[in-house]
Amino acid sequence: MLTVVRSSKFRHVFGQAVKADQCYDDIRISQMTWDSNFCSVNPKFVAMIVDASGGGAFMVLPLSKTGRIDMSYPTVCGHTGPVLDIDFCPHNDNIIASGSEDCSVMIWEIPDGGLTTPLTNPVVKLDGHSKRVGILSWHPTAHNVLMSAGCDNVVILWNVARGEAVVRIDSVHPDLIYSACWNQDGSQILTSCKDKTMRVLDPRKGTVIIEKEKPHEGSRPVRAVFVADGKILTTGFSRMSERQVALWDPKNFGEPLTLQELDTSSGVLLPFFDPDTGVVYLCGKGDSSIRYFEVTDEAPYVHYLSMYGSKESQKGMGYMPKRGLEVNKCEIARFYKLHERKCEPIVMTVPRKSDLFQEDLYPDTVGPEPSVEADEWFQGKEGQPIMISLKDGFVATTKAKEFKVHKTLLKTTAASAGNQQDNSGEVQSLRKEVKDLKAAIEELTNRVKELESKH
């Protein structure tokens, strides 16, 4: 019987680790046993959760700062407990959120060249969870909207600019939340939970739109992400503890469109979906490989493409947004793989002979501009992603959305000590401004004197 090989331009995608001098070395990656990515990247920075004595810290490096990182390199270290998840804001590359065992979420602003001194004061601290905060995700299209999920089984949607919890979903999940993510325009949230139920929620009402019990029979954690056309891809375990990947159509949740057994490893599979190419990458915690599949409209829907393998296992994984890739090298994805002591970029490319822009590999992709402000979104306005072309490589034409906190709107916290700290920060920056102005005036006065003496 003649089998026809399915044609796909991604059949020959191959992954390659960068050369040793392009890695970030001598970083003590966190030893926490928590199933988050431990890493977040964007076109400016790579951030990694690191081991810290007496609290929680993560490191933020400019992408260009490769090689050995000095032990004394400054970290972001304002949390009092270990950091469990970090996420860069999609609308401003200098803003990153962190969630911690200390039950708080903090928002940080990273200066353009990276840190020169340890960062201990967040721009905003968000208090609302009663147990550790393990999942964070920024809204894809609404500016300053952040979702957090904690071990108190609560999902909170924050208006970060106002520093307040606007929606609190606390009666839906009876047990630990394993994963929580947005769909492409942020009109729905998808969660998976320890009670073996996957739920699609209306984020503003906090109500369940549809749910599916036991997408996977096994009792180990399930991960779920939205893929194309509102379909849902899940990773989980069979009753015999084999790892599985499944695709679901929420219009008919009865049976999966496809369910495939992968192997018998124990690590949770973290899925990364690329809506531009329809490729999903599965990175197992503790695995030494990345498998990738193409999700299409025809059976069996999830088509195995290939696997990138290496010797060392991964402790976490960062995934670069499309606008941070090198289009002239036909790079369609880049991962930042965390080892025990380093971070190693892995580049996924489609081999092409021509070095001209490949229209078919790079359809318009999501840009950094938000399409709706937080207040409008919470009031019900939807925002579609604003797309950009990568034809000439991504260049920011507008200044990144400035991160403004409405200081006057921030809830006054009972902890006046916190306020004093904030004020001292402001006082210091004002003093610095005054000092700079004095210096500038002095310089000008001297110039005038010089010119006068010449005449």
Side-chain angles (χ1 to χ4, degrees), residues 56-128:
F58 61 96
M59 188 176 269
V60 182
L61 300 172
L63 287 187
S64 57
K65 190 169 173 53
T66 53
R68 198 180 155 274
I69 307 300
D70 198 274
M71 286 285 282
S72 61
Y73 195 85
T75 57
V76 181
C77 48
H79 284 286
T80 55
V83 177
L84 299 177
D85 199 13
I86 48 178
D87 194 28
F88 272 114
C89 173
H91 308 124
N92 182 335
D93 288 342
N94 297 68
I95 297 294
I96 187 167
S98 59
S100 161
E101 270 201 357
D102 65 12
C103 310
S104 73
V105 175
M106 292 185 181
I107 311 296
W108 309 88
E109 184 159 19
I110 309 297
D112 265 342
L115 298 179
T116 49
T117 55
L119 191 55
T120 53
N121 280 342
V123 189
V124 188
K125 183 175 181 216
L126 305 171
D127 288 316

Side-chain angles (χ1 to χ4, degrees), residues 3-68:
T3 54
V4 179
V5 176
R6 198 180 64 88
S7 73
S8 163
K9 54 190 171 229
F10 304 112
R11 176 165 288 282
H12 301 292
V13 168
F14 74 101
Q16 202 170 21
V18 299
K19 294 191 174 71
D21 61 349
Q22 294 299 299
C23 294
Y24 307 85
D25 280 314
D26 249 14
I27 297 164
R28 295 210 310 274
I29 301 300
S30 170
Q31 300 291 320
M32 290 295 295
T33 53
W34 182 255
D35 285 328
S36 77
N37 301 347
F38 278 24
C39 181
S40 184
V41 294
N42 66 28
K44 276 189 189 174
F45 300 108
V46 53
M48 299 153 280
I49 302 176
V50 293
D51 257 348
S53 50
F58 61 96
M59 188 176 269
V60 182
L61 300 172
L63 287 187
S64 57
K65 190 169 173 53
T66 53
R68 198 180 155 274

Side-chain angles (χ1 to χ4, degrees), residues 167-227:
V167 177
R168 191 180 167 87
I169 305 171
D170 52 10
S171 55
V172 168
H173 303 94
D175 211 329
L176 185 66
I177 299 163
Y178 285 140
S179 72
C181 68
W182 302 93
N183 63 350
Q184 222 184 337
D185 64 0
S187 59
Q188 293 181 343
I189 289 172
L190 171 62
T191 65
S192 61
C193 176
K194 198 174 177 178
D195 69 346
K196 295 193 181 181
T197 305
M198 168 171 80
R199 298 172 174 86
V200 178
L201 310 176
D202 178 317
R204 282 168 287 220
K205 294 183 184 144
T207 51
V208 178
I209 299 170
I210 187 167
E211 60 184 22
K212 169 70 187 166
E213 281 183 41
K214 290 199 182 168
H216 298 272
E217 289 288 330
S219 54
R220 309 223 35 245
V222 167
R223 286 295 173 118
V225 289
F226 282 107
V227 293

Side-chain angles (χ1 to χ4, degrees), residues 148-180:
S148 64
C151 295
D152 47 8
N153 314 337
V154 174
V155 174
I156 297 180
L157 303 188
W158 304 89
N159 180 334
V160 173
R162 293 175 180 271
E164 63 188 26
V166 183
V167 177
R168 191 180 167 87
I169 305 171
D170 52 10
S171 55
V172 168
H173 303 94
D175 211 329
L176 185 66
I177 299 163
Y178 285 140
S179 72

